[in-house]
Amino acid sequence: MKNIEAISCFCTFAYLFIFFNIRYNPILMLPIIKKYRVFIITFLVFSVITISLFYHVLKPSKKLPIYNPADVNPELVDSTVQYIAREHRIADFSFVNQNGKVITQKDYEGKIYVVDFFFTTCPTICPIMTKNMVDVQKAILNNPKVMILSHTVTPDIDSVPVLKKYALEKGVVDSKWNLVTGEKKEIYSMARKSYLAVKLGKPKELYDMVHTENFVLVDAEKRVRGFYDGTKKEDIERLIEDINWLSQNE
């Protein structure tokens, strides 16, 4: 940055020197400018290019972290994977979506996608989260690289017909967004072993989970790249920015 400042100061001084001399001493300067016009033009072009290059090379570049289980609040991660500090990937999965179609990792292969956990009868944060996810859907609608995957945490209630009704009510676009149900054990495993996003529920209830407001961003290599509060507009804006950055840079 100091190099950029030095070059900028020098170029500014040169510009001002030429400008003021042309304005207040044209008789002296015009012959000089005519004589050295090629040099002056070359110098001006070179200085602009140099400053631009230095700026692009030295300006801080945006980077998204890659999250592993060891990087995340242990309360959100199953104890069997908390030790993993590198090379974490989303596990293979198989669920059923709102249309009764089996959805697996192959449907998301090579895709950037956003994950959340919800249930259709939730009266508190789910309506806000779903509304915000609809905004995400609008932002990615014309981006073939990006999809959404929402898991119910009450699969005993959220059957395929229930999910279909919910999808129609909320404006879910089938080609972009899957609402999935399945075995509670498998949903639990994905939430806490892969997406690192959900706290344990009641200890006495097997595979019980606390409903979470987390939206999770997964990249095309099945790595976790971000966590966002699905109830906050500022986090949704940040999520959309990060999706766009991933789409263009990785």
Side-chain angles (χ1 to χ4, degrees), residues 109-140:
E109 191 171 2
K111 301 288 186 181
I112 297 163
Y113 63 103
V114 182
V115 172
D116 76 330
F117 296 85
F118 78 110
F119 58 106
T120 60
T121 55
C122 167
T124 54
I125 63 174
C126 285
I128 301 170
M129 291 172 62
T130 302
K131 183 177 181 297
N132 287 336
M133 193 67 90
V134 169
D135 289 339
V136 174
Q137 179 182 245
K138 290 177 183 176
I140 68 167

Side-chain angles (χ1 to χ4, degrees), residues 37-245:
R37 63 181 181 276
V38 174
F39 170 77
I40 292 171
I41 292 171
T42 303
F43 169 75
L44 293 175
V45 172
F46 174 78
S47 62
V48 169
I49 293 173
T50 302
I51 292 172
S52 298
L53 287 174
F54 268 103
Y55 174 76
H56 287 294
V57 169
L58 297 179
K59 77 172 182 178
S61 58
K62 179 182 175 72
K63 288 186 178 180
L64 289 183
I66 298 171
Y67 289 96
N68 293 288
D71 304 321
V72 179
N73 179 353
E75 292 183 355
L76 301 171
V77 183
D78 190 83
S79 59
T80 61
V81 298
Q82 286 176 3
Y83 68 93
I84 298 174
R86 56 182 298 178
E87 300 299 327
H88 176 69
R89 294 290 192 279
I90 304 303
D92 292 350
F93 57 85
S94 180
F95 297 113
V96 179
N97 77 353
Q98 66 268 26
N99 297 310
K101 177 186 175 183
V102 175
I103 299 296
T104 72
Q105 71 282 351
K106 291 185 178 179
D107 294 286
Y108 287 81
E109 191 171 2
K111 301 288 186 181
I112 297 163
Y113 63 103
V114 182
V115 172
D116 76 330
F117 296 85
F118 78 110
F119 58 106
T120 60
T121 55
C122 167
T124 54
I125 63 174
C126 285
I128 301 170
M129 291 172 62
T130 302
K131 183 177 181 297
N132 287 336
M133 193 67 90
V134 169
D135 289 339
V136 174
Q137 179 182 245
K138 290 177 183 176
I140 68 167
L141 201 55
N142 296 316
N143 187 341
K145 296 181 180 181
V146 190
M147 294 180 68
I148 302 171
L149 181 60
S150 294
H151 308 71
T152 177
V153 295
T154 57
D156 52 326
I157 297 172
D158 292 333
S159 62
V160 170
V162 171
L163 290 179
K164 184 62 177 180
K165 181 175 181 291
Y166 190 82
L168 291 172
E169 290 173 350
K170 304 304 180 182
V172 170
V173 177
D174 289 342
S175 61
K176 300 299 288 186
W177 187 354
N178 289 297
L179 311 179
V180 296
T181 187
E183 293 293 327
K184 192 168 186 178
K185 177 182 177 182
E186 298 305 317
I187 296 170
Y188 169 94
S189 179
M190 293 304 298
R192 290 182 49 80
K193 294 182 181 181
S194 280
Y195 299 118
L196 321 174
V198 179
K199 292 182 180 180
L200 276 174
K202 300 173 185 176
K204 293 182 180 179
E205 293 188 23
L206 193 62
Y207 308 122
D208 190 49
M209 298 171 283
V210 173
H211 185 223
T212 177
E213 72 280 2
N214 283 327
F215 284 3
V216 183
L217 179 60
V218 179
D219 68 16
E221 296 181 40
K222 302 196 294 185
R223 301 175 299 187
V224 175
R225 303 302 296 271
F227 299 94
Y228 311 82
D229 187 328
T231 67
K232 294 181 178 179
K233 279 293 182 184
E234 57 269 28
D235 270 35
I236 301 306
E237 291 172 1
R238 181 167 61 89
L239 169 58
I240 292 170
E241 288 177 3
D242 290 349
I243 289 170
N244 290 335
W245 185 87

